[in-house]
Amino acid sequence: MQSELRPEKTLSIQQVYKYFEGTKAVDGVSLDVQAGEIFGLLGPNGAGKTTLIRMILNITQPDSGKIIFSFSPDGRFQPEKIGYLPEERGLYDDRKVSDTLVFLARLKGLAPAQARERGLLWLSRLQLEAYYDRKIRELSKGMQQKVQFVASILHQPQLVVLDEPFAGLDPVNQELFRELILELKSTGMTVLLSAHQMHLVEDLCDRIFLINQGQPVLYGNLREIKREWGEDWVKLDFQGNAEFLKQSSLVKNVEIRDSRAELILKKGTRPEAFLDTLSGKLEIEQISIQKPPLHHIFVELVTQRSGEKK
Amino acid sequence: MRQTLEMAHWEFWQNLKNKLFIVVTFISPLIMLGIVGIVFLVQSASQRNELTIALIDGVGINKELNSRLSGSFYRVQVVSEPETMIVQKLQKGEFDGLLILESTFFETMRARYIPKSRSFFQSAIKSDASLIAAPRSITDALSQITLAHGLQNAGLTSQEIARLAAGVQIDVSSSSGALQEQASSGITLAIAFVIIILLQMITANSQTLILTSVMREKRNRVVEILLSSISANALMSGKILGLGALAFLQALIWASVGLIVIFIGGPFVGLPTGVIGAAIVPFLAWDKILLYLIYFVMGYFLLAAMCAAVSATTSDDPASASQLNMALIFLPPILPLLLFTLVLEKPDHIALKLISFFPPATPGMMILRTAVGSVSWWEISLSLLLLAVSTWGMLRLAGKIFRIGILIYGKSASLRELWRWARS
């Protein structure tokens, strides 16, 4: 099989299906991951994300469909070109950090000396060099997560799959991981990111794929998705009586507290048209109009789909 | 192959550095040595302590009796006090028993024996004293004396009696080195036994190591990282190789300690073990030993693959996996040892031939049968072929089961699931 991908695509998933005892875990998923982008793989718990990730990583095989990698001449999976940080975190707790890093890097084809050198460098970056020869069990949970992150990128893969990298981290470490992921992108690495922290996904990802009950729900550029969603969010600080907003035909939803109102405009409503309805009725102190947050789109779509299924 | 070796290297060295492994490897022989030492000390102490039996000698055979008891723990001491007084002395522990030979002993052929004290179990049996047997050495010595006495009365000379007492001796003569062959087959049988026990020991040890390793990787989820780097087959084969090598090293250490103790300690107890060892070498049947090693290696891979599959398909509870492994992996190879007597008497028995072609039992049975007698070349070839094919098949099948089973957390696989995985 010849690689059917252009170099700008790192990964292409084509009509992939996976069944478990009659249940469709992944139901006809197709997507492309561009080289050098941060791609968000989103979905509620049990949506099929982990199954899809396991198939990308060759841990399980699709029942049908193709998964093609551009970095391989025949399009096949090449473990040394891929890194993986699994959702279920764990390392050999009775082994040393150094031994574990070198072992996992060796499995990816890295020479031991090189693995040691790079491991020490990364641990220094994360201020963990003092733990290099300590046993994993002596590290805190956050430290272990950092070590596992290092293990996933030590061999400098072309594609790294990060499954819930922010889970269980405090805000400081979440910010650190956010910076590290951006740094990986700056080196040209392609990042496939699965996370539930929508604000971080929104901040990091170029494109996203939303999966629910094994089926594709949303796919594409994040900004375009938001634009196409068409419901602008308005935050308004005002003086006067804003009760008329509740009857407005342009407003889908409104919440008024004292002199502040938060509104969602109906799909297709131009912000200018809404602003016209305010003139002369309210004294506006501050107004912001934004595209809806990803969190809202996610919840709306997943709830809607689940309702349809029922 | 590179990844399999990386995995084997990791498993070998990391487990070698494990404190528990070091303790088990080096403390176990010390405990064994301690037990052997205690047994030896107890035996030599008991050999030094003679048991003195009081003898009321109504026929005057005390000298002859002591002469016949030389080499045993017992010696008799003639007493002249009445029986009741001796019994009292017996209770005080002055004697270890009382033997009463009435003047009519040679006519009645009956003697009485009163032991020092009854043990708990002897007291628990509320039966008559006849159930408590007199020491075997004393009974035998008295029988020999009465026999000699009878023969003397029948008119035989003391030389004739001595000749009859010496018993029959059969001299074995041989042609074309049959004696050497016999010696060689004895040594080969001993080696066969050692190899079968070694196979059991290494399989048992590596089974524990494989089980622990698989359970740990399932529990801490490292398995997902591993499977994104290497195939399930490479992961499984690496474990089998690395942990097998480790179990082999452990057995080697134990065997070396045993040999060192035998060769160094032997001369101290009057055994010229060095001389015996040197004498054995010319009798070693190297062609058979090579064959045993082939059976051994294939047998190990077959059993270890079964063990890996079982470990991957059971829940995170090591106890249930261990029980399954016991039933599947330990019982078939032990079969030849259970049938040892039949193998010795009739190595060509049809049942044994059939068991020889049952792959999990093949190594043990064929090693034993070839050590005992000559087995036809077609049986050896067929058993090797079947073993090779089933080992290869089991590695493939176990690989399939392992690949899916190792990703199932918190529950054991049902037979239906196993069947589906095997067909996948």
Side-chain angles (χ1 to χ4, degrees):
Chain A
M1 181 174 66
Q2 281 295 306
S3 176
E4 297 162 24
L5 279 188
R6 290 199 299 271
E8 63 266 25
K9 286 183 193 172
T10 295
L11 164 71
S12 180
I13 297 174
Q14 298 170 4
Q15 281 299 303
V16 162
Y17 290 83
K18 183 74 184 175
Y19 302 85
F20 289 122
E21 293 174 15
T23 308
K24 285 180 188 170
V26 173
D27 188 9
V29 165
S30 297
L31 63 91
D32 294 325
V33 178
Q34 307 288 341
E37 75 171 339
I38 301 177
F39 186 87
L41 178 61
L42 313 177
N45 295 332
K49 295 192 301 290
T50 302
T51 306
L52 192 59
I53 287 173
R54 281 181 176 177
M55 287 191 286
I56 293 169
L57 292 159
N58 205 35
I59 297 173
T60 51
Q61 304 302 315
D63 292 329
S64 65
K66 281 198 275 189
I67 297 176
I68 305 166
F69 299 89
S70 69
F71 44 68
S72 164
D74 56 4
R76 284 173 199 263
F77 176 80
Q78 271 190 300
E80 59 273 22
K81 302 271 177 74
I82 299 180
Y84 178 39
L85 176 75
E87 180 184 8
E88 299 275 6
R89 232 79 78 201
L91 288 167
Y92 300 100
D93 58 357
D94 58 341
R95 309 286 159 88
K96 286 180 183 173
V97 171
S98 51
D99 288 345
T100 306
L101 286 178
V102 170
F103 165 61
L104 294 173
R106 283 180 73 167
L107 287 182
K108 297 285 190 182
L110 209 64
Q114 213 174 2
R116 263 189 287 276
E117 189 188 331
R118 285 189 199 171
L120 206 49
L121 266 174
W122 268 104
L123 291 179
S124 306
R125 274 252 1 239
L126 299 170
Q127 294 168 338
L128 287 177
E129 69 270 33
Y131 295 89
Y132 187 67
D133 272 323
R134 296 269 193 89
K135 289 196 171 160
I136 302 273
R137 70 161 78 98
E138 294 174 40
L139 275 66
S140 71
K141 204 178 163 192
M143 286 174 180
Q144 289 186 23
Q145 201 150 326
K146 286 178 190 172
V147 170
Q148 207 162 359
F149 178 82
V150 172
S152 69
I153 52 155
L154 206 60
H155 58 293
Q156 296 179 341
Q158 292 195 17
L159 168 68
V160 63
V161 179
L162 305 176
D163 196 358
E164 295 294 344
F166 307 109
L169 290 178
D170 61 44
V172 176
N173 278 316
Q174 281 195 3
E175 181 55 27
L176 174 71
F177 268 59
R178 191 189 77 88
E179 283 170 14
L180 288 172
I181 292 168
L182 285 172
E183 193 180 314
L184 296 181
K185 185 190 176 186
S186 71
T187 63
M189 203 179 284
T190 307
V191 180
L192 179 62
L193 173 70
S194 174
H196 280 130
Q197 294 76 9
M198 289 301 141
H199 65 288
L200 288 168
V201 171
E202 211 164 337
D203 181 34
L204 288 168
C205 293
D206 303 300
R207 297 187 313 127
I208 61 158
F209 181 88
L210 175 62
I211 183 171
N212 189 27
Q213 294 172 339
Q215 293 178 327
V217 176
L218 201 62
Y219 172 45
N221 183 288
L222 194 52
R223 291 177 73 179
E224 280 170 23
I225 286 171
K226 284 186 165 194
R227 196 169 55 240
E228 280 169 21
W229 187 254
E231 290 178 351
D232 287 322
W233 282 41
V234 181
K235 280 184 183 173
L236 191 63
D237 287 348
F238 60 89
Q239 291 293 329
N241 185 356
E243 284 300 312
F244 72 94
L245 289 172
K246 290 179 180 172
Q247 267 69 52
S248 171
S249 60
L250 303 179
V251 175
K252 180 185 172 187
N253 194 15
V254 62
E255 209 176 291
I256 302 168
R257 282 196 310 274
D258 302 327
S259 58
R260 167 166 280 204
E262 286 185 6
L263 308 98
I264 299 173
L265 302 183
K266 282 185 177 167
K267 276 189 180 172
T269 303
R270 286 188 306 111
E272 297 84 351
F274 171 71
L275 287 175
D276 286 344
T277 63
L278 301 180
S279 63
K281 292 179 182 163
L282 290 174
E283 189 184 322
I284 298 167
E285 289 177 347
Q286 191 172 314
I287 186 165
S288 71
I289 301 174
Q290 294 171 333
K291 294 297 170 199
L294 184 58
H295 179 91
H296 170 76
I297 299 173
F298 181 98
V299 172
E300 282 275 301
L301 280 174
V302 170
T303 316
Q304 186 185 321
R305 285 284 172 133
S306 303
E308 281 169 16
K309 288 271 173 187
K310 282 174 191 167
Chain B
M1 192 61 194
R2 180 188 66 79
Q3 290 171 326
T4 302
L5 293 177
E6 289 286 0
M7 196 68 220
H9 178 270
W10 167 258
E11 290 287 7
F12 182 85
W13 286 107
Q14 289 300 318
N15 282 291
L16 189 66
K17 288 190 268 181
N18 187 294
K19 274 181 196 158
L20 184 67
F21 178 81
I22 294 168
V23 168
V24 169
T25 306
F26 291 99
I27 299 293
S28 302
L30 288 178
I31 293 172
M32 281 298 290
L33 280 179
I35 292 169
V36 170
I38 288 167
V39 169
F40 179 75
L41 282 174
V42 168
Q43 274 187 347
S44 33
S46 65
Q47 272 170 2
R48 277 196 298 275
N49 290 339
E50 274 186 343
L51 298 172
T52 307
I53 309 295
L55 173 66
I56 297 177
D57 191 358
V59 282
I61 58 166
N62 64 82
K63 281 183 186 165
E64 196 179 351
L65 187 55
N66 264 334
S67 152
R68 291 196 185 264
L69 283 173
S70 66
S72 77
F73 297 131
Y74 300 96
R75 74 176 186 86
V76 291
Q77 186 185 320
V78 179
V79 288
S80 50
E81 295 101 321
E83 184 182 326
T84 48
M85 279 184 73
I86 303 298
V87 169
Q88 280 172 7
K89 284 187 175 181
L90 207 58
Q91 282 161 353
K92 285 179 193 165
E94 285 179 36
F95 293 105
D96 297 295
L98 169 62
L99 180 67
I100 303 153
L101 300 176
E102 306 287 355
S103 56
T104 55
F105 168 67
F106 286 122
E107 287 80 49
T108 60
M109 301 271 285
R110 291 188 78 90
R112 279 195 300 128
Y113 180 76
I114 303 169
K116 182 166 73 177
S117 62
R118 299 177 117 204
S119 72
F120 171 78
F121 294 106
Q122 286 168 330
S123 304
I125 304 167
K126 291 178 181 171
S127 58
D128 63 3
S130 66
L131 275 177
I132 306 158
R136 177 99 195 166
S137 318
I138 295 175
T139 314
D140 288 349
L142 286 175
S143 300
Q144 285 165 10
I145 291 169
T146 50
L147 180 67
H149 187 262
L151 292 172
Q152 208 168 19
N153 285 348
L156 267 69
T157 63
S158 52
Q159 284 86 354
E160 282 171 325
I161 294 168
R163 194 171 59 83
L164 284 171
V168 176
Q169 187 181 331
I170 299 174
D171 295 327
V172 180
S173 61
S174 69
S175 60
S176 65
L179 271 179
Q180 278 84 344
E181 269 177 36
Q182 210 172 16
S184 176
S185 72
I187 294 160
T188 310
L189 184 61
I191 290 170
F193 241 97
V194 169
I195 289 181
I196 292 169
I197 289 166
L198 213 60
L199 178 63
Q200 281 294 121
M201 201 193 266
I202 290 173
T203 309
N205 291 350
S206 66
Q207 180 260 346
T208 312
L209 291 166
I210 289 172
L211 182 68
T212 313
S213 167
V214 170
M215 290 285 161
R216 187 179 52 196
E217 281 166 7
K218 276 183 94 161
R219 207 169 32 243
N220 63 20
R221 306 292 201 262
V222 173
V223 68
E224 298 219 8
I225 302 177
L226 297 177
L227 289 178
S228 71
S229 304
I230 60 174
S231 70
N233 261 329
L235 177 62
M236 189 188 75
S237 310
K239 282 185 189 300
I240 291 173
L241 262 182
L243 297 174
L246 194 67
F248 185 75
L249 176 72
Q250 195 176 44
L252 209 63
I253 290 170
W254 290 344
S256 305
V257 171
L259 284 176
I260 289 167
V261 169
I262 288 170
F263 279 96
I264 293 177
F268 287 102
V269 291
L271 269 177
T273 37
V275 178
I276 294 169
I280 283 172
V281 174
F283 294 110
L284 292 175
W286 292 107
D287 52 342
K288 283 191 176 177
I289 292 170
L290 180 69
L291 183 68
Y292 298 164
L293 290 178
I294 295 170
Y295 278 121
F296 174 87
V297 171
M298 285 203 283
Y300 169 72
F301 276 103
L302 177 73
L303 297 172
M306 285 165 72
C307 165
V310 169
S311 305
T313 52
T314 41
S315 67
D316 302 349
D317 170 27
S320 59
S322 192
Q323 278 170 2
L324 248 173
N325 272 339
M326 283 290 276
L328 281 172
I329 295 157
F330 287 146
L331 296 183
I334 218 166
L335 206 58
L337 293 180
L338 298 176
L339 296 168
F340 179 62
T341 322
L342 184 61
V343 178
L344 270 185
E345 286 171 4
K346 294 177 182 172
D348 286 331
H349 193 283
I350 184 72
L352 300 183
K353 283 188 178 185
L354 287 174
I355 293 169
S356 300
F357 301 128
F358 173 54
T362 299
M365 188 55 86
M366 286 303 286
I367 288 173
L368 214 50
R369 283 183 62 212
T370 47
V372 170
S374 61
V375 179
S376 60
W377 66 267
W378 70 265
E379 278 187 73
I380 294 174
S381 310
L382 184 61
S383 69
L384 280 175
L385 182 71
L386 281 175
L387 187 59
V389 169
S390 54
T391 302
W392 176 81
M394 182 49 72
L395 281 169
R396 273 185 65 90
L397 180 70
K400 283 182 177 185
I401 293 172
F402 186 88
R403 183 167 60 84
I404 302 171
I406 200 154
L407 289 168
I408 308 286
Y409 305 122
K411 68 165 192 142
S412 299
S414 64
L415 281 174
R416 216 174 124 208
E417 281 173 320
L418 286 179
W419 174 242
R420 205 174 52 243
W421 298 350
R423 288 175 59 204
S424 67

